[in-house]
Amino acid sequence: MWLASVALTRCDAQVAAEYGLTLAQKAALLAAFFPAFIPSQLLASFLIQRYGAKVVTTAQNAGLALSLLACPAAMAAAGHLGLAACFVSLGVFQSPLFPALSVLKRSWTAGAAPAHRAMWLRVMSAGQYVANFLAALVTPLLARRFGWQAVPYTFGGVMAALTVVWHCCASEAPEADDDAVQPQPKSGGQTPRGGPQAAGMGVSWAIFRVRGVQACLLSHISHNTMLYTLMQWAPTYYIECFGIPRAAIGRWLAVPATVNIWGGFLIGALEARCLQTGMPQLRVRRLFTAIGTGASAACLLLFTLAPTAVAAVVAQCGVVLSGCYSGSGFSSNYYEVGGRNTAMLSGVGNVFASVPGLVLPAIGVALKRRFDSWAPIF
């Protein structure tokens, strides 16, 4: 799933160079994903609660594969507008990602000891970091040797194969039934148990008035702002500011992607150690969220001041390593307070946290034109 979301953004420089796209056209292309992705998450969350995460994820993966495979033909037929339409389709089919993974992670780790659960969640989340690494390393090589069209064809084919493997091998584990947020039984009845349709749409919207949940949402927005800024603009930044060849950009971006993979396990081990020493779980969540948010901001500022490409990569590694704290911070809160409504809670939360991805391309273009510098963007 993550391969589909990051592969095309890693070859945007090649597409822009081949078709002579302006900076504004490139920004519009990058932003086309989010107008469909953001609202579709609410519908996706409802479908997950009604039909289960597995079947919705199967449909999602199949749609992503088809959307990727259609990219070259769409670009040939309608130019950058055709490719933008494929980004819209990717946004629709990507929308179940966060709520579905939240439900599956919660289900598959139900009943585990907190320290063991911390590491299990890191293993289950490793796919996104491996995907970032592969996309950063492989995408420029494919685009240089075979043309950018090889990127969606390759990753679309991989997605199609993985969809079959997923549907045949994955299972939907039973959810735990003792949670903070779930509908109260009526007239002495029992809370529904069992399959995915049991929970329905009974989300308690009052949860969003809780200050702790609001703090979680703000942390999520902050984290995604950092993530999308680097994902959308870092490749162009390295090329224009430091003269990195387009064919070599993948090797540079693979360094922070590698740190992201192993950093997750390192921070997960640190979380497990804190829990084993008796630190309350809520304190761990607050501490790790504070460290991740503050350190990410500091490293992003250093990224803008880097005098060389090597220094910029080091600063970017600091950003992604700091971001790894989120997996032990606000991100885990979704699994712990969502209950049977984890899909709706995480889906609504990610709607707000996805807004930066929609507005950052336009903001980036405006800042670049106003100050003739990349520094204000980061």
Side-chain angles (χ1 to χ4, degrees):
M1 292 183 284
W2 280 92
L3 281 174
S5 64
V6 300
L8 287 179
T9 62
R10 298 301 189 190
C11 64
D12 60 339
Q14 287 87 346
V15 175
E18 181 174 336
Y19 291 92
L21 301 183
T22 66
L23 187 63
Q25 290 174 326
K26 181 180 174 181
L29 193 61
L30 291 172
F33 174 91
F34 289 96
F37 174 69
I38 293 174
S40 297
Q41 291 180 89
L42 297 177
L43 174 61
S45 300
F46 165 74
L47 294 175
I48 290 166
Q49 291 202 175
R50 183 162 183 82
Y51 299 107
K54 177 186 174 179
V55 65
V56 175
T57 301
T58 299
Q60 169 194 261
N61 290 347
L64 290 173
L66 292 175
S67 298
L68 282 173
L69 293 172
C71 285
M75 187 72 177
H80 76 280
L81 293 179
L83 188 57
C86 290
F87 270 83
V88 171
S89 179
L90 286 169
V92 172
F93 286 108
Q94 188 87 359
S95 61
L97 174 62
F98 191 73
L101 290 182
S102 295
V103 170
L104 292 171
K105 288 177 181 179
R106 178 184 174 275
S107 299
W108 290 344
T109 60
H116 293 161
R117 184 171 177 268
M119 291 306 298
W120 290 357
L121 287 173
R122 291 293 180 170
V123 172
M124 296 169 71
S125 300
Q128 60 181 297
Y129 307 122
V130 174
N132 281 328
F133 172 79
L134 291 176
L137 188 63
V138 176
T139 294
L141 297 178
L142 287 174
R144 179 183 63 178
R145 178 162 297 189
F146 304 106
W148 74 268
Q149 295 87 348
V151 175
Y153 282 146
T154 299
F155 289 116
V158 171
M159 282 295 303
L162 291 178
T163 299
V164 176
V165 174
W166 162 267
H167 190 71
C168 294
C169 300
S171 61
E172 190 145 14
E175 295 185 356
D177 52 9
D178 291 327
D179 289 282
V181 184
Q182 65 180 29
Q184 297 297 319
K186 298 180 180 180
S187 303
Q190 298 297 316
T191 301
R193 303 170 66 95
Q197 298 187 39
M201 280 288 291
V203 66
S204 176
W205 297 105
I207 190 65
F208 293 103
R209 295 199 295 268
V210 177
R211 291 176 61 186
V213 172
Q214 293 170 358
C216 176
L217 294 178
L218 289 174
S219 299
H220 194 173
I221 293 171
S222 173
H223 173 79
N224 276 19
T225 299
M226 174 272 297
L227 174 69
Y228 289 132
T229 299
L230 288 175
M231 185 170 66
Q232 293 174 340
W233 290 117
T236 304
Y237 178 71
Y238 280 110
I239 292 170
E240 292 194 3
C241 291
F242 301 114
I244 303 298
R246 288 187 174 87
I249 191 65
R251 295 194 294 271
W252 291 81
L253 295 176
V255 176
T258 304
V259 172
N260 220 359
I261 296 173
W262 297 107
F265 293 111
L266 175 64
I267 304 305
L270 180 59
E271 176 196 355
R273 180 59 180 168
C274 291
L275 294 170
Q276 287 172 342
T277 59
M279 182 179 290
Q281 186 168 268
L282 182 58
R283 182 178 298 176
V284 172
R285 299 288 173 255
R286 290 173 173 172
L287 176 63
F288 279 55
T289 297
I291 293 174
T293 303
S296 293
C299 292
L300 197 57
L301 290 174
L302 292 175
F303 181 78
T304 65
L305 301 174
T308 65
V310 173
V313 168
V314 172
Q316 188 175 351
C317 288
V319 174
V320 299
L321 181 60
S322 303
C324 290
Y325 278 89
S326 67
S328 301
F330 72 85
S331 182
S332 292
N333 290 142
Y334 286 113
Y335 320 137
E336 293 162 352
V337 304
R340 293 185 179 276
N341 298 295
T342 296
M344 289 302 299
L345 179 60
S346 58
V348 171
N350 209 46
V351 165
F352 291 105
S354 299
V355 171
L358 175 65
V359 301
L360 283 173
I363 292 176
V365 171
L367 290 174
K368 181 66 166 60
R369 288 175 174 172
R370 175 67 177 82
F371 299 100
D372 194 26
S373 171
W374 287 100
I377 298 176
F378 298 103

